[in-house]
Amino acid sequence: MSEKFVGSPDLEAADHKDGASTPTESKTPKVDIIDLFEDGAVDPVYQAKARVLNAAIQEIGMGRYQWWLFAVSGFGWFADSVWPLLGGLILSPVVNEFHFNGPFLSLALNIGLFVGAVFWGLGCDIWGRRWSFNITLFLAGAFGLAAGGSPDFLTLASLLAVLGVGVGGNLPVDSAVFLDFVPGSHQYLLTILSIWWSVGQLVASFIAWPLIANFSCAQGSTTCTRADNMGWRYLLFTLGGMTLLLWAIRFFVFPLYESPRFLVGRGLDAEAVNVLHRIAQYNGRTSSLTVNDLDAAGMSVEGADAGKRERQVLSRSSVFTMDHIKGLFATPKLAWSTSMLIFLWGIIGLASTLYNSFLPYLLASRGAQFGDSSYYTTYRNQVILGVIGVPGAFLAGWAVEQPYIGRKGTLALSAGEYLVLCTRLTGVFLFASTTARSSNALLGWNCGYAFHSNIMYGVLYAISPEVFPAKDRGTGNGLTATATRVFGILAPVIALYANLETAVPVYVSGALIIGAGLIALLLPYEPRGKASI
């Protein structure tokens, strides 16, 4: 049975300019946090030390540092929403100017996203979270800005591919960073972080609406010059500049420390303790954690020789070997969980990429049949969809902490049921959109999809990093992200051979998402009320 630990009272801090203050009396009750993993699922020395770290982070509580981290980590969700969506937003005017087969643009972006997921996801478990956290957002902003000046399709596709290398690492790294610093009692905030994903959709669509509608060649025109088609370039300049601004806030304003769980995984106990004391000071609180506490936890596992074993096992896992991947399959239950998540992410990646990449085209083509296919109407509808998606993130954050619901189920019937409910409703709304006989009906069905898909993604983005051990979390996030990017590459390939003037992409997306809901039944872990280690 998993060991329990009791977090120290959460201390309220006075707001001092230097970030330090004298701790006050606790106004919140003590909380009991249970380990998510059964004994033996991870290295016992690491598990013992991770429990001590969890107690120390719980003692520090949810303070100013964590709320800042909620914001700057959310920038990664924002970028992961904006840039993949961009391929669909600029598709029509870019095709009109450069005259190429549309799905090739999505293909280039998704190849970059795939490389980024592999490189940054696995890499942040090797060289640490800190640099990966900052570099990924910089790449997205810099190359997004440069892409706006593309003179031809090849240049645009190449720059978007490099941009994708940065964006592809955002969620694997950012979710690991956030979860490594947040108290176990507040892990549900990882679900609410998806509000940034929803805001990204809304902001990108809202900016695209006037720019594409007012600064693009007329749809169906035989000639389209750069001077007459600047809207998509203005959009890239704006979003690229915005992303660079968010990176600057991350890099120059917020003092990101290296993850204490990563440091302990490398055997750097003193550095981990120092980080937690600095965070406590930033929050205006104190931490009672000492290096001796971590040493004692390690020694308690296997006696006097545990210290030597710790240095050998944990340090060896910090270099480029298969150890991080093997750690995700250490027990049958953990192996099953990892396998199901990879498969689930792959299926949803294929479905969502098909849908999001070609939704503007679907709206325009269906609108043409209804007599309202203008850029103005198409991108206005995109803004409406963005607005509808925002409440879904808050609903997901509320639901994952409710008794009998949790991350995986409604009414505690079986694992994955809540995710099943969301994915099934998402798929149903996708199918329903093909029955629309008016522009407003089509928009209404897609609003249903936008709302429920944001709930689905909110839960999925949270449960994935939560069920990976912290020392292997970047690798686990990288594997799931890689799966979704691999299938994301397949989506435009499928579209190349599909008739986009029909609802085929939507049918495929709906079927896959409903199937993903059934697969979610097989997830073995429920993180609600448990601390990730």
Side-chain angles (χ1 to χ4, degrees), residues 430-516:
L430 281 180
F431 275 125
S433 67
T434 66
T435 68
R437 294 296 178 266
S438 70
S439 180
N440 289 337
L442 179 62
L443 176 62
W445 289 121
N446 280 304
C447 285
Y449 163 79
F451 180 77
H452 290 96
S453 66
N454 277 295
I455 299 175
M456 177 186 71
Y457 277 113
V459 177
L460 193 60
Y461 283 151
I463 196 174
S464 299
E466 281 184 307
V467 299
F468 294 132
K471 70 183 183 67
D472 307 315
R473 184 169 291 145
T475 301
N477 289 344
L479 291 177
T480 55
T482 298
T484 198
R485 301 312 182 189
V486 167
F487 283 94
I489 291 173
L490 292 178
V493 174
I494 292 172
L496 284 170
Y497 298 97
N499 181 5
L500 293 184
E501 295 182 2
T502 71
V504 170
V506 179
Y507 281 127
V508 173
S509 298
L512 288 174
I513 289 181
I514 289 177

Side-chain angles (χ1 to χ4, degrees), residues 116-477:
V118 175
F119 183 77
W120 298 110
L122 276 63
C124 74
D125 279 340
I126 300 170
W127 55 70
R129 322 279 204 238
R130 187 179 180 186
W131 285 107
S132 301
F133 187 75
N134 287 309
I135 293 174
T136 51
L137 202 61
F138 175 79
L139 287 177
F143 284 91
L145 195 64
S150 301
D152 52 46
F153 167 71
L154 183 59
T155 304
L156 175 63
S158 300
L159 290 173
L160 288 184
V162 181
L163 176 154
V165 173
V167 175
N170 275 316
L171 285 187
V173 175
D174 295 2
S175 60
V177 168
F178 183 75
L179 203 55
D180 283 353
F181 287 101
V182 74
S185 58
H186 288 73
Q187 284 180 189
Y188 70 92
L189 290 174
L190 189 60
T191 302
I192 299 181
L193 264 174
S194 63
I195 184 64
W196 287 95
W197 201 83
S198 303
V199 169
Q201 286 182 312
L202 176 59
V203 169
S205 299
F206 190 79
I207 295 174
W209 181 10
L211 293 181
I212 302 295
N214 295 310
F215 300 97
S216 298
C217 296
Q219 291 169 280
S221 58
T222 56
T223 58
C224 182
T225 64
R226 174 171 179 154
D228 295 329
N229 201 44
M230 290 295 293
W232 66 269
R233 290 184 171 86
Y234 293 150
L235 178 61
L236 280 167
F237 292 147
T238 303
L239 295 178
M242 187 179 299
T243 305
L244 280 179
L245 175 62
L246 297 180
W247 166 78
I249 294 173
R250 267 191 181 184
F251 192 76
F252 295 109
V253 177
F254 178 70
L256 179 69
Y257 304 119
E258 187 54 83
S259 161
R261 290 186 172 101
F262 169 79
L263 293 171
V264 166
R266 295 188 60 187
L268 303 175
D269 294 356
E271 287 85 345
V273 171
N274 181 53
V275 165
L276 287 179
H277 279 277
R278 293 169 75 179
I279 292 173
Q281 183 181 24
Y282 192 92
N283 286 354
R285 302 175 185 180
T286 59
S287 172
S288 60
L289 180 68
T290 65
V291 176
N292 289 336
D293 294 333
L294 293 175
D295 287 341
M299 296 289 287
S300 68
V301 176
E302 290 184 355
D305 62 343
K308 294 182 180 179
R309 180 179 181 278
E310 162 221 346
R311 291 288 174 181
Q312 294 170 354
V313 173
L314 300 185
S315 292
R316 187 168 68 243
S317 69
S318 67
V319 297
F320 187 68
T321 68
M322 293 293 290
D323 288 346
H324 287 297
I325 295 178
K326 290 178 180 177
L328 300 171
F329 298 87
T331 65
K333 185 176 181 180
L334 190 56
W336 182 257
S337 174
T338 301
S339 300
M340 287 299 99
L341 281 172
I342 292 173
F343 192 54
L344 190 63
W345 270 103
I347 295 238
I348 291 179
L350 175 58
S352 63
T353 305
L354 269 177
Y355 180 76
N356 289 325
S357 294
F358 304 109
L359 176 60
Y361 186 93
L362 175 66
L363 291 176
S365 62
R366 284 301 178 91
Q369 297 175 22
F370 307 137
D372 53 359
S373 62
S374 66
Y375 279 140
Y376 179 91
T377 301
T378 298
Y379 289 92
R380 180 208 63 188
N381 291 350
Q382 280 287 119
V383 171
I384 294 173
L385 294 178
V387 171
I388 293 297
V390 171
F394 291 105
L395 180 58
W398 170 82
V400 296
E401 285 299 294
Q402 297 309 304
Y404 311 115
I405 298 179
R407 271 69 162 173
K408 300 188 306 174
T410 53
L411 305 177
L413 292 176
S414 59
E417 191 123 11
Y418 182 67
L419 193 56
V420 171
L421 176 63
C422 295
T423 51
R424 282 180 176 172
L425 286 174
T426 301
V428 165
F429 278 106
L430 281 180
F431 275 125
S433 67
T434 66
T435 68
R437 294 296 178 266
S438 70
S439 180
N440 289 337
L442 179 62
L443 176 62
W445 289 121
N446 280 304
C447 285
Y449 163 79
F451 180 77
H452 290 96
S453 66
N454 277 295
I455 299 175
M456 177 186 71
Y457 277 113
V459 177
L460 193 60
Y461 283 151
I463 196 174
S464 299
E466 281 184 307
V467 299
F468 294 132
K471 70 183 183 67
D472 307 315
R473 184 169 291 145
T475 301
N477 289 344

Side-chain angles (χ1 to χ4, degrees), residues 6-10 26-32 58 185:
V6 180
S8 298
D10 193 46
S26 171
K27 295 182 181 180
T28 58
K30 293 183 179 181
V31 292
D32 291 338
Q58 190 67 44
S185 58

Side-chain angles (χ1 to χ4, degrees), residues 71-91:
V72 297
S73 295
F75 297 166
W77 265 255
F78 179 90
D80 188 79
S81 172
V82 164
W83 292 109
L85 178 63
L86 183 86
L89 291 176
I90 68 174
L91 183 60

